[in-house]
């Protein structure tokens, strides 16, 4: 599950043609066709500059849904990963599974955030990484008890200093992280100077400021040639 949390928010790079459409290398196997994708642009440079496209791996899953095509992530590296079309489709579905709400909950959080699933914490760190350098702070709280329709407690994320232009893309990434909460649980997002009440714990924001990659909207992926 920890690996899936990392892959769910991973951006990958592929060669592009002169028009900016995806032109990835591929291999055909007895198990089907697989595209070769990388998490590091240097791995596909081949000694000469070439056009490339970055996009979230989950967006590629949306693009390949009807093609019955998987991917090989970082071929030739020490830790390549093979993902089938079904696994890519599952990654693409996470944004539809995760629930993010912006209305403050009725009760202040009083639970222990460390009791939330480890994969959620891992995915939340990855979701916040692109804006870590511009946030004024981040705090996490958790409900004391689950709602009747949820298998685990809700989480509450409070952010300070989030610029409005980044909010929509970040909310998409937070929906991915929320999918790793217990079934039916949701993530509340609030913004302001700082959280009110004692039930929040600060989240370290040591990651560098990274750009939100183009192609981050899975409903508007680049074209595949």
């Amino acid at each position: 599950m920890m690996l899936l949390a990392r892959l769910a928010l991973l951006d990958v790079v592929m060669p592009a043609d002169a028009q900016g459409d995806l032109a990835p290398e591929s291999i055909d196997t007895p198990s089907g066709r697989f595209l070769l994708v990388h998490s590091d642009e240097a791995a596909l440079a081949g000694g000469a500059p070439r056009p490339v496209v970055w996009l979230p791996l989950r967006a590629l899953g949306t693009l390949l849904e009807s093609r019955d095509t998987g991917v090989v992530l970082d071929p030739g590296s020490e830790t390549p990963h093979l993902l089938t079309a079904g696994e890519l489709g599952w990654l693409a579905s996470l944004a539809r599974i995760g629930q993010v709400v912006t209305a403050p909950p009725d009760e202040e959080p009083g639970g222990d955030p460390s009791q939330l699933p480890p994969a959620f914490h891992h995915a939340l760190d990855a979701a916040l990484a692109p804006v870590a350098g511009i946030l004024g702070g981040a705090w996490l709280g958790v409900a004391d008890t689950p709602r009747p329709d949820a298998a685990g407690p809700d989480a509450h994320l409070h952010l300070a200093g989030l610029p409005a232009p980044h909010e929509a893309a970040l909310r998409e990434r937070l929906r991915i992280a929320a999918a790793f909460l217990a079934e039916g649980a949701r993530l509340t997002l609030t913004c302001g100077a700082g959280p009110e009440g004692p039930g929040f714990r600060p989240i370290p924001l040591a990651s560098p400021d990274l750009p939100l990659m183009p192609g981050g909207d899975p409903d508007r992926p680049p074209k595949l040639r």
Side-chain angles (χ1 to χ4, degrees):
M1 189 61 73
M2 295 289 282
L3 173 61
L4 291 174
R6 182 180 74 84
L7 295 180
L9 284 152
L10 181 69
D11 293 302
V12 295
V13 62
M14 285 162 288
D17 61 20
Q19 287 72 45
D21 294 336
L22 299 176
E25 300 176 38
S26 65
I27 57 173
D28 291 307
T29 75
S31 301
R33 185 177 183 229
F34 291 85
L35 303 186
L36 307 183
V37 303
H38 300 267
S39 58
D40 181 0
E41 185 174 344
L44 52 74
R50 61 191 304 185
V52 299
V53 170
W54 281 92
L55 78 165
L57 184 59
R58 64 187 183 280
L60 183 58
T62 299
L63 190 61
L64 295 175
E65 272 185 323
S66 62
R67 295 174 180 254
D68 195 26
T69 299
V71 302
V72 180
L73 172 63
D74 292 329
S77 71
E78 294 182 359
T79 56
H81 295 291
L82 188 148
L83 295 169
T84 66
E87 290 168 330
L88 283 175
W90 184 82
L91 291 178
S93 74
L94 289 179
R96 298 190 291 269
I97 297 172
Q99 300 181 63
V100 175
V101 297
T102 53
D106 297 330
E107 298 180 5
E108 290 294 330
D112 182 359
S114 68
Q115 300 304 310
L116 294 171
F120 166 73
H121 286 282
H122 191 82
L124 180 61
D125 288 344
L128 293 176
V131 294
I134 57 178
L135 286 177
W139 295 264
L140 183 65
V142 62
D144 282 312
T145 58
R147 288 176 291 105
D149 58 344
D154 294 339
H156 185 166
L157 176 68
H158 186 88
L159 302 178
L162 176 65
H166 290 277
E167 185 173 344
L170 178 60
R171 192 174 300 173
E172 170 71 19
R173 294 173 68 87
L174 290 176
R175 277 198 291 268
I176 304 299
F180 291 93
L181 290 169
E183 184 177 357
R186 63 194 180 193
L187 174 64
T188 294
L189 172 65
T190 55
C191 299
E196 298 180 0
F200 289 89
R201 297 188 183 181
I203 300 173
L205 293 172
S207 301
D209 183 10
L210 300 173
L212 291 172
M213 292 297 184
D217 183 351
D219 295 323
R220 301 173 58 192
K223 295 179 181 179
L224 180 62
R225 189 174 67 178

